[in-house]
Amino acid sequence: MEKIQQNQKFPLTIKRIGINGEGVGYFKKQVVFVPGALPGEEVVVEAVRAHPKFTEAIVKKVRKRSPHRVKAPCPVYEQCGGCQLQHLEYAQQLKAKRDIVIQALERYTKFSVEQLEIRDTIGMEDPWKYRNKSQFQLREMKGKIVSGLYSMNSHRLISVPECIVQHPITNKVNNEVRRILEDFRIPIYNEKTKKGIVKTIVVRVGVETGQVQVVIVTTGKELPRKDMIGKEIKKRLPEVVSVMQNINPKKTSLVFGDKTQKLAGTDYIEEKMSAFSYELSARAFFQLNPEQTIKLYDEVKKAANLTGKEKIVDAYCGVGTIGLWLAEGAAEIRGMDVIGEGIKDAKKNAAKHHLNNAMYVTGKAEDILPKWEREGWHPDVIIVDPPRTGCDPEFFKTLLKIKPKTFIYVSCNPSTLAKDLQAISKQYEVRYVQPVDMFPQTSHVEVIVKFVLKVV
């Protein structure tokens, strides 16, 4: 088979959307990834990178357009790379996300995918302006401070004054804080010279409460006129109730460092979801799309099918959000996580909502579950919502020993989900797979899988 060469031009028919939102086609049985191309399109492409197992290419000409192609409304869509699917009609985005889940199952499992119940993706009525948190990097250009996002696979900053997937308040606050830093002539960190102070502005809004928190991320403790900056932000932006400084001296892609201190207002903001309220400190994890989070958690509740008698384990529980959502319908909720701060918040959240049937401990599920089993406590339902890397293999060994009747897996990464499903398929049967669109206009998809223990 003749290998595709760099700079080679060739015709291609796009078959599907890949896991990163790119078009996928085949040329002489070789897989080709083409950003911006859509299923059904016939294009002429140029190979920009030829790898041993696949080729990356760019569109040179569209011979046949998809009827579902739309003009992306964002002016910097193609340069920014924060979204991948704005050029595809929203109804088709939902179909593409279901297909991304199917591709992962076909690639990493031995399941007969046709026989699985893979439901339609649950979408948003208005798939814009949903993100409750912005993290914009800063640069100084011609005496002005520019805030925005890095272009795909580069450190070229794209100015984003108005991001249309962000909640409008986050855009407004970010722009005003940028102006305040400019007015006070605060030195902005320069990656090349390693000089300057402020790296990033992080803004989070409580969508239901309207409260806003600003976090200014700096290279060290030093921030000139920090008290004045805090007061000026509060004066110009009355909705801001919390102004924090986070110190991150490391040369890393992680936004936050380990130390955070208050410049003005309170240490946290409040957010409400349904009957629950949450205190969010600067580094606390919270879902970025509250409207869809409610749908996601309601689907988890449906999958658990509670009668009031169930004992539930919320593994990888974070601040306890999923467990709290289910607590009212269960006999008892027990959660665990390796991050102690999250467990502290989970306990606080349970106490605040007067949930006497919830208990939270710090540690790994694979250590704690066998201990509870030895003490005679056996869960009916185990729920996991792990990070993108999926579950620890030791967790599955423990799950297969404990054997709860129902196991519910919430995943933000279809590839690791599929690999994990295969690991437990001998003892657990997939009842159904439910994709949820947490990030419209991007290629990300959240998935809930309900498993039931096979009757032997």
Side-chain angles (χ1 to χ4, degrees):
M1 179 174 66
E2 195 184 320
K3 293 296 288 176
I4 296 168
Q5 301 300 310
Q6 194 157 324
N7 303 330
Q8 186 178 339
K9 292 189 179 76
F10 51 91
L12 198 68
T13 300
I14 304 301
K15 298 295 184 190
R16 59 173 202 267
I17 294 273
I19 204 150
N20 298 310
E22 68 284 82
V24 181
Y26 297 89
F27 182 70
K28 297 183 176 173
K29 296 184 178 170
Q30 296 166 77
V31 68
V32 184
F33 296 118
V34 189
L38 294 175
E41 291 191 327
E42 291 172 13
V43 291
V44 176
V45 301
E46 181 180 339
V48 288
R49 272 182 288 278
H51 303 271
K53 292 189 174 173
F54 63 92
T55 297
E56 294 173 67
I58 53 169
V59 175
K60 298 304 280 183
K61 187 179 176 186
V62 180
R63 285 179 172 168
K64 181 186 166 193
R65 285 166 66 88
S66 163
H68 305 297
R69 180 179 279 280
V70 293
K71 184 169 171 22
C74 171
V76 293
Y77 170 59
E78 284 176 14
Q79 295 93 35
C80 165
C83 299
Q84 300 83 40
L85 295 176
Q86 280 192 22
H87 62 297
L88 180 60
E89 268 172 17
Y90 187 57
Q92 290 301 123
Q93 288 184 31
L94 298 179
K95 287 180 182 171
K97 292 189 185 203
R98 179 178 180 270
D99 189 53
I100 284 170
V101 175
I102 290 169
Q103 286 175 51
L105 291 169
E106 285 174 341
R107 184 168 180 187
Y108 296 112
T109 75
K110 297 191 175 86
F111 290 120
S112 170
V113 175
E114 296 74 34
Q115 289 173 355
L116 293 178
E117 184 187 339
I118 302 171
R119 297 179 174 178
D120 290 341
T121 309
I122 296 170
M124 285 187 88
E125 278 165 45
D126 178 11
W128 302 98
K129 301 178 181 173
Y130 58 83
R131 283 182 73 100
N132 60 6
K133 183 181 179 184
S134 64
Q135 296 184 159
F136 284 166
Q137 313 301 325
L138 301 181
R139 276 270 197 290
E140 201 169 302
M141 294 180 186
K142 297 177 185 167
K144 290 275 181 201
I145 297 174
V146 172
S147 68
L149 298 167
Y150 290 124
S151 178
M152 282 288 276
N153 307 322
S154 84
H155 267 233
R156 191 163 61 90
L157 195 77
I158 305 297
S159 173
V160 186
E162 201 69 27
C163 176
I164 55 179
V165 294
Q166 283 290 151
H167 191 288
I169 286 177
T170 66
N171 285 319
K172 174 194 161 188
V173 170
N174 175 73
N175 286 327
E176 196 55 56
V177 172
R178 183 174 51 74
R179 280 192 280 271
I180 289 167
L181 294 175
E182 220 168 60
D183 293 346
F184 281 97
R185 300 199 172 155
I186 303 301
I188 300 307
Y189 179 68
N190 182 316
E191 276 193 331
K192 284 181 185 157
T193 64
K194 307 284 184 277
K195 290 194 172 98
I197 291 170
V198 179
K199 287 178 163 181
T200 311
I201 300 170
V202 180
V203 181
R204 174 149 61 182
V205 59
V207 174
E208 285 299 312
T209 63
Q211 294 183 1
V212 178
Q213 180 176 65
V214 171
V215 186
I216 297 169
V217 182
T218 58
T219 53
K221 283 182 187 169
E222 186 198 354
L223 176 58
R225 301 181 282 288
K226 60 172 72 173
D227 293 346
M228 289 167 76
I229 290 169
K231 282 178 189 154
E232 190 65 21
I233 290 172
K234 299 260 297 162
K235 185 176 130 192
R236 291 198 207 176
L237 296 158
E239 58 270 58
V240 175
V241 299
S242 170
V243 184
M244 309 295 285
Q245 177 190 0
N246 175 268
I247 298 151
N248 184 6
K250 293 177 185 162
K251 314 283 180 282
T252 166
S253 59
L254 296 174
V255 171
F256 285 134
D258 296 333
K259 284 186 185 161
T260 308
Q261 56 196 33
K262 184 166 69 179
L263 299 183
T266 59
D267 287 329
Y268 59 84
I269 58 169
E270 286 208 344
E271 176 61 304
K272 290 191 170 83
M273 273 199 319
S274 192
F276 297 98
S277 67
Y278 304 92
E279 290 177 3
L280 305 178
S281 56
R283 291 174 61 212
F285 170 77
F286 194 72
Q287 295 281 5
L288 292 166
N289 184 342
E291 185 185 321
Q292 289 299 90
T293 301
I294 290 172
K295 292 180 191 173
L296 180 82
Y297 290 174
D298 281 347
E299 285 300 321
V300 172
K301 198 168 192 172
K302 277 185 212 165
N305 198 18
L306 302 175
T307 63
K309 293 174 185 168
E310 287 78 11
K311 294 173 186 165
I312 298 180
V313 166
D314 180 9
Y316 299 82
C317 70
V319 298
T321 36
I322 290 181
L324 294 178
W325 209 263
L326 274 62
E328 210 183 335
E332 191 181 355
I333 293 274
R334 292 188 179 189
M336 74 282 287
D337 202 292
V338 291
I339 297 166
E341 279 172 43
I343 292 296
K344 254 189 227 166
D345 286 345
K347 286 177 178 173
K348 246 190 343 194
N349 285 332
K352 186 166 66 175
H353 295 99
H354 311 293
L355 296 170
N356 304 321
N357 63 339
M359 167 185 156
Y360 292 96
V361 294
T362 306
K364 291 183 173 180
E366 46 270 33
D367 298 332
I368 292 163
L369 285 169
K371 179 174 165 279
W372 287 344
E373 187 84 2
R374 287 194 296 275
E375 289 166 3
W377 192 88
H378 182 81
D380 303 292
V381 182
I382 293 182
I383 299 161
V384 288
D385 184 4
R388 287 190 68 77
T389 47
C391 291
D392 189 306
E394 289 303 312
F395 169 79
F396 286 120
K397 286 182 192 167
T398 307
L399 177 83
L400 297 175
K401 280 179 196 153
I402 304 268
K403 294 190 176 69
K405 284 196 216 72
T406 304
F407 173 53
I408 301 164
Y409 192 142
V410 183
S411 168
C412 57
N413 183 343
S415 299
T416 54
L417 169 74
K419 290 171 191 170
D420 287 352
L421 300 198
Q422 189 59 42
I424 59 167
S425 59
K426 281 193 177 134
Q427 291 187 31
Y428 278 89
E429 167 196 332
V430 174
R431 189 54 54 91
Y432 63 81
V433 178
Q434 176 63 70
V436 181
D437 187 18
M438 297 291 280
F439 299 103
Q441 318 309 329
T442 78
S443 57
H444 294 291
V445 58
E446 203 94 3
V447 193
I448 298 162
V449 183
K450 177 174 180 173
F451 291 94
V452 290
L453 191 63
K454 287 180 181 174
V455 181
V456 182

